[in-house]
Amino acid sequence: MIGARLQAFAAELYPICRSITGAGVRDTLRRVGRHIPLKIHEVPSGTQVFDWEVPLEWNIEDAYVLDPQGRKVIDFQQHNLHLVSYSEPLDRKLTFAELKPHLHAHMVNPDWIPYRTSYYQRNWGFCLRGRDLEALGAGDYRVKVVSSLARGSLSYGEFYLPGRTREEVLLFTHICHPSLANDNTSGIAIATWLGAWLAQQPRRYSYRIVFAPGTIGSLSWLKRNESRLPAVRHGLVLGLLGDSAPLTYKRSRRGNAEIDKIAEYALASLEPAARAISFEPYGYDERQLCSPGFDLPVGRLTRSVNDGYPEYHSSADNLALISSAQLQDSLLACQRICEIIEADRRYINLSPKGEARLGKRGLYGGTGGSSPAAREHAMLWMLNQSDGSNSILDIARKSSRPVDVLAEAARELAGAELLREVADAEAGAREFRKIVAKKSPAISKAGKRRKR
Amino acid sequence: MIGARLQAFAAELYPICRSITGAGVRDTLRRVGRHIPLKIHEVPSGTQVFDWEVPLEWNIEDAYVLDPQGRKVIDFQQHNLHLVSYSEPLDRKLTFAELKPHLHAHMVNPDWIPYRTSYYQRNWGFCLRGRDLEALGAGDYRVKVVSSLARGSLSYGEFYLPGRTREEVLLFTHICHPSLANDNTSGIAIATWLGAWLAQQPRRYSYRIVFAPGTIGSLSWLKRNESRLPAVRHGLVLGLLGDSAPLTYKRSRRGNAEIDKIAEYALASLEPAARAISFEPYGYDERQLCSPGFDLPVGRLTRSVNDGYPEYHSSADNLALISSAQLQDSLLACQRICEIIEADRRYINLSPKGEARLGKRGLYGGTGGSSPAAREHAMLWMLNQSDGSNSILDIARKSSRPVDVLAEAARELAGAELLREVADAEAGAREFRKIVAKKSPAISKAGKRRKR
Amino acid sequence: MIGARLQAFAAELYPICRSITGAGVRDTLRRVGRHIPLKIHEVPSGTQVFDWEVPLEWNIEDAYVLDPQGRKVIDFQQHNLHLVSYSEPLDRKLTFAELKPHLHAHMVNPDWIPYRTSYYQRNWGFCLRGRDLEALGAGDYRVKVVSSLARGSLSYGEFYLPGRTREEVLLFTHICHPSLANDNTSGIAIATWLGAWLAQQPRRYSYRIVFAPGTIGSLSWLKRNESRLPAVRHGLVLGLLGDSAPLTYKRSRRGNAEIDKIAEYALASLEPAARAISFEPYGYDERQLCSPGFDLPVGRLTRSVNDGYPEYHSSADNLALISSAQLQDSLLACQRICEIIEADRRYINLSPKGEARLGKRGLYGGTGGSSPAAREHAMLWMLNQSDGSNSILDIARKSSRPVDVLAEAARELAGAELLREVADAEAGAREFRKIVAKKSPAISKAGKRRKR
């Protein structure tokens, strides 16, 4: 049911002609904004962002090519992909030889229109099916591109959900691709629904979902938020989440960040075929978020990797390539990751010398001799391992006991003042050392018997 | 032959009704004391030990249940396990409905009497075969428990063997279980024989063997010896050592303590099927010794793990479950571990620049060209690796050469003043750096030829 | 073709009666010196080198044994191996019983003459085929050894090639074995040709190739060069390189030195069957170079390990055991290792916040949408990983992209001032932190649009 709504929203977004700036991006953000309240940011053309500059804003009205007989042989109205994105305005007659270098066909499949762009080099071009290209003959062609390239701005949207701490979970999805379904109406739909779901959850962390054009959009966001980056505790790039490849987690550049352990654990618990792959610098906005000057703890949840499926960046990446079931499973994976992020706390044992006597606190079965239940086992694990160096997830991995059972045990033990949550491993280890160093109470006088 | 004596001692201990306090424990310690001199400690009821308190002392004379016809349908004299340990004194008439909640049958096997306790919650109860329970009908029953719960003390015994250093090897076995053969007459018998054997060995380390009731006994020992714990260099809990499961080493909480490497190496050399398993907090006294506030370098030598065999904590854990051959192999494993503990020294090379010339010291074959013998190979390994960072066991693991051969090579090299033993890795590395930094003697004058 | 020349040079060296001192060594160095200019060092007899002393110089003219019938039954002129190396001068009549202890046959094969030495214990002896030994009967034998043991010197040769830095690559081969082809005319031939090849390469590092007698030769070199050892960045011992065993890299004592990674990578890229084996102290001059007081980053390139082939140290290690193809492949492996040593630089990214815009520098394709080429991928990897902690080889291992492609990408990026080479990981990390800490330029005024 949620899958069907995700698929419907992807279908709604599919026909829009997005690019890295312009009306298509703003229309997309508006539609996302019907489901979750977005704050829209505009970054003016010409703004310097690190080694880059925000380009002129591009808007497109129409584009076509007329053959020598005056027939419209390429027509932007038929498919967004027919026009190279950021094509400059043009109205010109050309021989076929002059036109040819501006025509792009798919390398492999003659029935697919490829997707091409020229954001940073002023140019124009058309993409078409290989079989249509072959049908074109000599003669004079008329080429018309009714576009504008003008001072304006780049748009991105943010959905911010405050939590109990200011530490943030950063979620990022790219919104710059035109009619490509998996890449990335799937990611936009899932990020939207995930935002709506998060808004209804209790939150320890704050969450920020950014809908931005690829590369220049994430660079702009990084530039505007550079001072805030230390607050990013975990992050995920969301993209390519509707196709039939298994759920895939691409690790952060660090490779051993908490999010890496969390996401791998979550995926393994959901789908046996789920994969974790190593970081590589080619990809989506992890390219920027994980550049060495930032090196954020951000991984990517995906299905196919970029260029990992034949239909990638072609008209065959259409709504038939994605399915409601796959979208729904991807959303569930996001939710599961967020649940583990929330659950993965760290405690110290306040009674660490010997086992605490759970029985007198009603936390352990009264009659001895039979083996402890799962809940009691989980308590023993939490007590034994809580010296600051292990989080619940660490303990789950060591003990093969579920995060949720351990988290529940921890809550009970914290309620009985046997565990105390700590901020991080360093603080935890420090506090724990203090507790251990504390002298145990002197042995009570033999004569003094206490009631239990 | 030793196996037969172990089995006979286990058989001698089997009928005694042990609990965590009382006459059965003292009788057990007295019988151990016929083989090795034990120092008996008494910890008074009411003594506070960390989060626990030593309970009242429990002694039992008789217990039974009479059915409406006056027949003795449950009789403690028939089997110790019939009575829930620490049952309070009682003499009462009850309907079957009132009696029922106090009756315990085995979960799986209707022919086995389960083992149950209620040390810390005042209660009473009887355990019986499932088929006997089913035969009971409605009517008034008479229940009689002739026990006492009174101020007294908890008893444990210690056998201490001084060595050349005060650093200790701590061996622990639990003595609180009544008629259960594998759990733990096996461990008591082996700890006793191991003590007798250790008494006749030369000892670098001091050894302390503690025979104590589980949990409250080890906690009491920890409480009374807290200031001495830094001297515990290695430790082993001994239990469940007579059944047919393969020799099993359960690692210390640290997972990489010296004892972990030593025990794994020893077991692998003795029995191909031997296993090493990770620490988990459920178990015997490693629960207390490896609680995070102590975190002692203590593993456990066992065969089946707790609850790892069907007969666990039932009347089927009887003398037929253990065998003299298995007991003997377990004792050999303990001895082998102790031998490696003793052998695992650490040296530094006093002539570390180039190989020392073994030939001139008569340590190497005179004629060159053929490959070195095992003894010479062992010397090369000891010389090359002795920079303080490697112990003999480390070198054995790297070189796949036997500890004993390396230890013998080290003794010869130390005799030739080419190696010197060091206390630990840190001191070794420091001394070794000094030796390397020392300027080599100036090149002797060319004219001066020395005799060899 | 190079293989044939290597084989021819090995054949030229094969008949010479080398030992650890004397005319055979000098003759060998002279022949090497016809291909590469060697500097010859003489270390006088009696010189103290660490725990050793340079022995008297040994020269040999003739040696034989006459049987009771006056027939020459062992004749040094027939094979160098017939005489135990360093046999003292002798002219004596002996009974067979007196002679017997001085005769050595091969342990396994009765058709092979073994190789034996007695450098440091004054002695004499003969080696012969087992079947010839069996043919000897009782009676008086005449033994004659026309040798000299006298004050003189040990000789070794050095070929030094300065590079742009004084950091050195140290190459070592042993020249003390008489007529043994694989051990080590193969190593001498390859070290010679490698030297000639290196002389024609551009060199970042300086290279030093040492041709020296085993053990006492490398010890003498170490003694004379002790103050220079910190400049040894990488090293290789070359030996046993002509037989049919697969290319084999024996790791340095450190096990994780740069040379270990480099050599393993190089060999894996050349030959699927290539092996890397762990360090062990038995071997050739790595025994001295990797003694714990020096612990140099020196591995060994070999085929068979010592004693790893039946013909080892016997007359069956003759020219038929080695082949021109195997020699040639061994030389290629040396060259490949040197190429990677030269290529394995370390950079820092000068524009590490986000990806640098390669397009505006002409380093990236103008039209977007299709996947980057191998060259572009290599640039992304170099930019992403160049934070000082990763060298090109590290990046090659992470990315599975060839060292050469990454090195070329790095050169282009350095040319565009996007990367800067750093001396080592520590300096690199320090400089990189400074670059990251630098405030990004303020966002340019929106109105100011730059040309690209």
Side-chain angles (χ1 to χ4, degrees):
Chain A
M1 197 171 87
I2 284 183
R5 284 196 227 145
L6 290 165
Q7 178 81 12
F9 190 48
E12 175 188 339
L13 299 172
Y14 180 74
I16 301 170
C17 186
R18 280 169 292 273
S19 181
I20 56 171
T21 60
V25 172
R26 291 198 191 92
D27 186 19
T28 298
L29 292 173
R30 191 159 47 241
R31 289 168 195 271
V32 169
R34 286 177 196 155
H35 300 278
I36 50 175
L38 281 193
K39 178 163 180 201
I40 308 298
H41 297 261
E42 298 285 346
V43 187
S45 299
T47 304
Q48 189 74 24
V49 285
F50 308 112
D51 195 45
W52 301 65
E53 195 181 274
V54 174
L56 294 177
E57 183 176 321
W58 181 70
N59 281 288
I60 176 67
E61 198 172 309
D62 198 9
Y64 52 83
V65 175
L66 300 182
D67 75 359
Q69 288 72 45
R71 290 173 302 198
K72 209 174 259 191
V73 288
I74 312 180
D75 183 1
F76 169 71
Q77 303 300 339
Q78 296 298 315
H79 204 298
N80 285 325
L81 297 186
H82 275 313
L83 184 66
V84 169
S85 193
Y86 259 71
S87 284
E88 58 190 346
L90 192 81
D91 187 355
R92 206 192 293 175
K93 275 223 158 111
L94 294 151
T95 65
F96 183 65
E98 291 168 323
L99 174 60
K100 189 87 194 293
H102 291 272
L103 300 183
H104 306 275
H106 195 272
M107 304 283 215
V108 175
N109 193 314
D111 289 323
W112 296 349
I113 310 164
Y115 164 56
R116 292 290 177 272
T117 67
S118 189
Y119 302 138
Y120 298 100
Q121 193 161 327
R122 226 177 146 110
N123 204 341
W124 61 271
F126 285 85
C127 301
L128 71 171
R129 291 173 187 87
R131 60 177 162 80
D132 292 341
L133 175 57
E134 283 182 17
L136 300 183
D140 285 349
Y141 286 77
R142 179 153 175 237
V143 178
K144 184 146 188 184
V145 178
V146 189
S147 68
S148 65
L149 271 167
R151 299 276 312 286
S153 61
L154 171 151
S155 317
Y156 70 83
E158 272 189 304
F159 178 48
Y160 180 71
L161 280 165
R164 287 202 306 286
T165 73
R166 300 189 118 209
E167 281 195 302
E168 272 187 33
V169 177
L170 177 64
L171 301 158
F172 233 97
T173 199
H174 63 284
I175 58 166
C176 49
H177 287 37
S179 301
L180 297 165
N182 192 41
D183 183 7
N184 190 29
T185 66
S186 69
I188 303 171
I190 280 165
T192 304
W193 255 250
L194 179 61
W197 177 80
L198 282 167
Q200 296 179 330
Q201 306 300 312
R203 290 177 305 274
R204 176 160 64 126
Y205 293 110
S206 299
Y207 288 77
R208 184 180 306 272
I209 310 184
V210 183
F211 298 80
T215 305
I216 188 70
S218 49
L219 288 166
S220 296
W221 184 88
L222 283 162
K223 182 74 192 167
R224 290 195 165 184
N225 293 278
E226 198 172 350
S227 65
R228 180 185 302 173
L229 297 181
V232 176
R233 174 75 175 263
H234 309 293
L236 271 186
V237 170
L238 301 174
L240 281 57
L241 285 164
D243 68 283
S244 63
L247 284 168
T248 300
Y249 177 69
K250 177 182 169 182
R251 293 186 193 98
S252 76
R253 180 178 182 273
R254 302 181 188 182
N256 62 352
E258 284 176 283
I259 185 66
D260 297 321
K261 291 191 261 180
I262 290 169
E264 287 185 44
Y265 180 88
L267 261 55
S269 73
L270 288 173
E271 189 177 301
R275 306 175 288 181
I277 59 174
S278 292
F279 180 77
E280 63 155 330
Y282 180 58
Y284 284 108
D285 288 309
E286 68 272 22
R287 290 167 75 149
Q288 312 308 326
L289 301 165
C290 298
S291 58
F294 298 122
D295 196 23
L296 293 175
V298 172
R300 178 173 137 204
L301 189 70
T302 196
R303 284 181 173 273
S304 284
V305 293
N306 317 36
D307 207 6
Y309 55 111
E311 303 86 352
Y312 177 75
H313 279 193
S314 85
S315 55
D317 182 353
N318 57 32
L319 291 166
L321 191 75
I322 65 178
S323 85
S324 61
Q326 289 147 13
L327 289 166
Q328 181 163 321
D329 286 351
S330 297
L331 177 62
L332 284 176
C334 292
Q335 291 170 341
R336 187 74 191 124
I337 290 170
C338 290
E339 282 170 352
I340 297 176
I341 285 174
E342 291 285 323
D344 189 25
R345 289 146 196 273
R346 193 176 290 271
Y347 294 86
I348 54 171
N349 181 336
L350 302 176
S351 179
K353 295 186 179 176
E355 280 178 24
R357 190 149 102 62
L358 300 174
K360 73 177 173 193
R361 296 173 178 92
L363 297 172
Y364 212 87
T367 301
S370 53
S371 289
R375 175 178 155 281
E376 294 166 340
H377 256 298
M379 287 191 189
L380 295 183
W381 272 105
M382 286 307 306
L383 287 171
N384 185 277
Q385 296 291 305
S386 289
D387 57 9
S389 69
N390 300 300
S391 74
I392 286 180
L393 181 60
D394 296 329
I395 300 169
R397 286 154 50 117
K398 278 192 197 180
S399 68
S400 303
R401 293 179 183 273
V403 159
D404 304 313
V405 174
L406 292 167
E408 175 57 28
R411 267 189 296 276
E412 290 197 68
L413 292 167
E417 295 185 359
L418 289 172
L419 292 185
R420 179 166 72 219
E421 195 179 346
V422 291
D424 54 43
E426 204 182 331
R430 198 170 47 235
E431 285 189 53
F432 184 72
R433 277 193 304 272
K434 264 190 230 166
I435 289 167
V436 170
K438 219 167 25 187
K439 222 187 141 333
S440 308
I443 295 182
S444 64
K445 283 191 215 81
K448 185 180 155 215
R449 173 117 201 302
R450 300 210 184 123
K451 267 276 160 65
R452 304 225 168 190
Chain B
M1 200 170 87
I2 286 184
R5 285 197 228 144
L6 291 165
Q7 179 82 12
F9 191 49
E12 175 187 341
L13 300 172
Y14 179 74
I16 301 170
C17 187
R18 281 170 291 273
S19 181
I20 56 172
T21 60
V25 172
R26 291 198 191 93
D27 186 20
T28 298
L29 292 173
R30 191 160 45 241
R31 288 168 194 273
V32 170
R34 287 179 198 155
H35 300 277
I36 51 177
L38 281 193
K39 178 163 181 201
I40 308 297
H41 297 260
E42 298 284 346
V43 187
S45 299
T47 304
Q48 189 75 22
V49 285
F50 308 112
D51 196 43
W52 302 64
E53 195 181 274
V54 174
L56 294 178
E57 184 177 321
W58 182 69
N59 281 288
I60 176 69
E61 197 172 311
D62 197 10
Y64 53 82
V65 175
L66 301 181
D67 75 359
Q69 288 73 42
R71 290 173 302 198
K72 209 175 259 191
V73 287
I74 313 179
D75 182 2
F76 169 72
Q77 303 300 342
Q78 296 299 314
H79 205 298
N80 286 326
L81 297 186
H82 274 314
L83 184 67
V84 168
S85 192
Y86 260 70
S87 283
E88 58 190 345
L90 194 79
D91 186 355
R92 205 189 295 172
K93 276 222 161 113
L94 295 150
T95 65
F96 184 65
E98 291 167 323
L99 174 62
K100 189 87 193 296
H102 291 272
L103 301 182
H104 306 275
H106 195 272
M107 305 283 213
V108 175
N109 194 314
D111 289 323
W112 296 350
I113 309 165
Y115 165 56
R116 291 289 177 272
T117 68
S118 189
Y119 304 135
Y120 299 100
Q121 193 161 326
R122 227 181 144 105
N123 204 342
W124 60 271
F126 285 84
C127 301
L128 69 170
R129 292 176 184 85
R131 57 176 163 81
D132 292 341
L133 176 56
E134 282 183 18
L136 301 183
D140 284 351
Y141 286 78
R142 174 144 179 246
V143 178
K144 183 146 186 182
V145 179
V146 188
S147 67
S148 64
L149 271 168
R151 297 278 311 285
S153 60
L154 172 149
S155 318
Y156 68 84
E158 270 189 306
F159 178 48
Y160 179 71
L161 281 165
R164 287 203 305 288
T165 73
R166 302 189 117 208
E167 281 196 303
E168 273 187 31
V169 178
L170 177 65
L171 301 159
F172 233 97
T173 199
H174 62 283
I175 56 166
C176 47
H177 287 39
S179 301
L180 298 166
N182 192 40
D183 182 8
N184 190 30
T185 66
S186 69
I188 302 171
I190 280 165
T192 304
W193 256 251
L194 179 62
W197 177 80
L198 281 167
Q200 296 179 327
Q201 306 300 313
R203 291 178 303 275
R204 177 158 63 123
Y205 293 109
S206 300
Y207 288 77
R208 184 180 305 274
I209 310 185
V210 183
F211 299 80
T215 306
I216 188 70
S218 50
L219 288 166
S220 297
W221 184 90
L222 284 161
K223 182 73 193 168
R224 290 195 164 183
N225 293 276
E226 197 172 354
S227 66
R228 179 186 301 173
L229 298 181
V232 175
R233 174 75 175 265
H234 310 292
L236 272 186
V237 170
L238 301 174
L240 281 57
L241 285 164
D243 67 286
S244 63
L247 283 169
T248 299
Y249 177 69
K250 177 182 170 182
R251 293 188 192 96
S252 76
R253 180 177 182 272
R254 302 181 188 181
N256 63 352
E258 284 176 282
I259 186 65
D260 297 321
K261 290 192 262 180
I262 290 168
E264 287 186 45
Y265 180 87
L267 261 53
S269 74
L270 289 174
E271 186 176 302
R275 307 174 286 180
I277 60 174
S278 291
F279 179 78
E280 62 155 330
Y282 180 58
Y284 284 108
D285 288 310
E286 69 271 22
R287 289 167 77 150
Q288 311 309 325
L289 301 165
C290 298
S291 60
F294 298 122
D295 196 24
L296 293 175
V298 172
R300 176 171 139 206
L301 188 70
T302 197
R303 286 183 173 271
S304 283
V305 293
N306 318 35
D307 206 7
Y309 56 112
E311 301 85 353
Y312 177 76
H313 279 192
S314 85
S315 54
D317 183 354
N318 57 32
L319 291 166
L321 192 75
I322 65 177
S323 85
S324 60
Q326 288 147 13
L327 288 167
Q328 180 163 320
D329 286 351
S330 296
L331 177 62
L332 285 176
C334 292
Q335 292 170 340
R336 188 74 192 124
I337 290 170
C338 291
E339 282 170 351
I340 297 178
I341 284 173
E342 291 286 321
D344 189 26
R345 288 146 197 276
R346 193 177 291 270
Y347 295 87
I348 54 171
N349 182 337
L350 301 176
S351 179
K353 294 186 178 175
E355 280 178 24
R357 191 149 102 57
L358 299 174
K360 72 176 173 192
R361 296 174 177 90
L363 297 172
Y364 212 85
T367 301
S370 53
S371 288
R375 175 178 154 280
E376 294 166 340
H377 256 298
M379 288 191 189
L380 295 182
W381 272 106
M382 286 307 306
L383 287 171
N384 185 276
Q385 296 292 305
S386 289
D387 58 8
S389 69
N390 300 300
S391 74
I392 286 180
L393 181 61
D394 296 330
I395 300 170
R397 286 153 49 114
K398 278 191 197 180
S399 69
S400 303
R401 290 178 185 273
V403 158
D404 305 311
V405 175
L406 292 167
E408 175 57 28
R411 266 190 296 276
E412 291 198 67
L413 292 168
E417 295 185 0
L418 289 173
L419 291 185
R420 181 166 70 221
E421 196 180 345
V422 291
D424 55 42
E426 205 183 329
R430 198 170 48 234
E431 285 188 54
F432 185 74
R433 275 194 305 271
K434 266 191 226 162
I435 288 167
V436 170
K438 219 168 22 188
K439 221 187 142 329
S440 309
I443 295 182
S444 64
K445 282 191 218 83
K448 185 179 154 217
R449 174 117 201 300
R450 302 208 183 124
K451 268 277 159 68
R452 303 226 168 188
Chain C
M1 201 169 84
I2 285 182
R5 285 196 227 145
L6 291 165
Q7 178 82 12
F9 191 49
E12 175 187 340
L13 299 172
Y14 179 73
I16 301 170
C17 185
R18 280 169 291 274
S19 182
I20 57 171
T21 61
V25 173
R26 292 200 190 92
D27 186 19
T28 299
L29 293 172
R30 192 160 45 242
R31 289 169 195 271
V32 170
R34 286 178 197 154
H35 299 278
I36 51 175
L38 281 193
K39 179 164 180 199
I40 308 297
H41 297 260
E42 299 285 346
V43 187
S45 299
T47 303
Q48 188 75 23
V49 286
F50 308 111
D51 196 43
W52 302 64
E53 194 181 272
V54 175
L56 295 177
E57 184 177 322
W58 182 69
N59 282 288
I60 176 68
E61 199 172 307
D62 197 8
Y64 53 83
V65 174
L66 301 182
D67 73 1
Q69 289 72 42
R71 289 172 303 197
K72 208 173 259 187
V73 288
I74 313 180
D75 182 2
F76 170 69
Q77 303 299 341
Q78 296 299 315
H79 203 298
N80 285 326
L81 297 186
H82 275 314
L83 184 67
V84 169
S85 192
Y86 258 70
S87 283
E88 57 190 345
L90 193 78
D91 187 355
R92 204 189 297 173
K93 276 224 159 113
L94 296 151
T95 65
F96 184 64
E98 292 167 322
L99 175 61
K100 189 88 195 293
H102 292 273
L103 301 183
H104 304 276
H106 194 272
M107 306 282 214
V108 176
N109 194 314
D111 289 321
W112 296 350
I113 310 165
Y115 164 57
R116 291 290 177 273
T117 67
S118 189
Y119 303 137
Y120 298 101
Q121 192 160 327
R122 229 180 143 109
N123 204 343
W124 61 269
F126 286 84
C127 301
L128 70 169
R129 290 174 187 86
R131 59 173 161 83
D132 293 341
L133 175 56
E134 285 184 15
L136 299 184
D140 283 351
Y141 287 76
R142 173 145 181 247
V143 178
K144 181 145 189 183
V145 179
V146 189
S147 66
S148 64
L149 272 167
R151 299 277 312 285
S153 60
L154 171 151
S155 317
Y156 69 83
E158 272 189 306
F159 178 47
Y160 180 70
L161 281 166
R164 287 201 307 286
T165 72
R166 302 188 117 211
E167 279 195 304
E168 274 188 30
V169 178
L170 176 65
L171 301 159
F172 232 97
T173 200
H174 62 284
I175 57 167
C176 48
H177 287 38
S179 301
L180 298 166
N182 192 40
D183 182 9
N184 191 27
T185 66
S186 70
I188 303 171
I190 280 164
T192 305
W193 255 251
L194 179 62
W197 177 81
L198 281 167
Q200 297 180 328
Q201 307 300 312
R203 290 179 302 275
R204 176 159 64 124
Y205 292 109
S206 300
Y207 287 78
R208 184 179 307 271
I209 310 186
V210 183
F211 299 79
T215 306
I216 187 70
S218 50
L219 288 167
S220 296
W221 184 90
L222 283 162
K223 182 74 191 168
R224 290 195 164 185
N225 293 277
E226 197 172 351
S227 65
R228 181 188 298 172
L229 297 181
V232 176
R233 175 74 175 264
H234 310 291
L236 271 187
V237 169
L238 302 174
L240 282 55
L241 286 164
D243 68 284
S244 64
L247 285 168
T248 300
Y249 177 70
K250 176 182 169 181
R251 292 186 193 98
S252 76
R253 181 177 183 274
R254 302 182 188 180
N256 63 352
E258 283 177 284
I259 186 65
D260 297 321
K261 291 191 261 179
I262 289 169
E264 287 185 44
Y265 181 87
L267 260 55
S269 75
L270 288 175
E271 187 177 301
R275 306 175 287 180
I277 60 174
S278 292
F279 179 77
E280 62 155 332
Y282 181 58
Y284 285 108
D285 288 309
E286 68 272 21
R287 289 166 75 150
Q288 311 309 325
L289 301 164
C290 298
S291 59
F294 299 122
D295 196 24
L296 293 175
V298 172
R300 175 171 138 206
L301 189 70
T302 198
R303 285 183 173 273
S304 283
V305 292
N306 316 35
D307 207 7
Y309 56 111
E311 303 86 353
Y312 177 75
H313 279 192
S314 85
S315 56
D317 183 353
N318 58 30
L319 291 165
L321 191 75
I322 65 176
S323 84
S324 60
Q326 288 147 15
L327 289 166
Q328 180 162 320
D329 286 351
S330 296
L331 177 62
L332 285 176
C334 292
Q335 292 170 340
R336 188 73 193 123
I337 290 171
C338 290
E339 283 170 351
I340 297 176
I341 284 174
E342 291 286 322
D344 188 26
R345 288 145 196 275
R346 195 176 288 271
Y347 294 87
I348 53 170
N349 182 336
L350 302 176
S351 179
K353 294 186 179 176
E355 280 178 24
R357 190 149 102 58
L358 299 173
K360 74 178 173 191
R361 296 173 177 92
L363 297 172
Y364 212 87
T367 301
S370 52
S371 288
R375 177 177 152 279
E376 294 166 340
H377 257 298
M379 288 191 188
L380 295 183
W381 272 105
M382 286 307 306
L383 287 170
N384 185 276
Q385 296 292 305
S386 290
D387 57 8
S389 68
N390 299 300
S391 75
I392 286 180
L393 181 61
D394 296 329
I395 301 169
R397 286 154 48 116
K398 278 192 198 180
S399 68
S400 303
R401 292 179 183 272
V403 158
D404 304 311
V405 174
L406 291 167
E408 175 57 29
R411 268 189 295 277
E412 291 198 67
L413 292 168
E417 297 185 357
L418 289 173
L419 292 184
R420 180 165 71 219
E421 195 179 345
V422 291
D424 55 40
E426 204 183 331
R430 199 170 48 234
E431 285 189 53
F432 185 73
R433 277 194 302 272
K434 265 190 226 164
I435 288 168
V436 170
K438 216 163 35 182
K439 219 185 144 332
S440 309
I443 295 181
S444 65
K445 282 192 216 81
K448 186 179 153 215
R449 174 114 201 303
R450 299 208 186 127
K451 267 277 157 66
R452 307 232 164 183

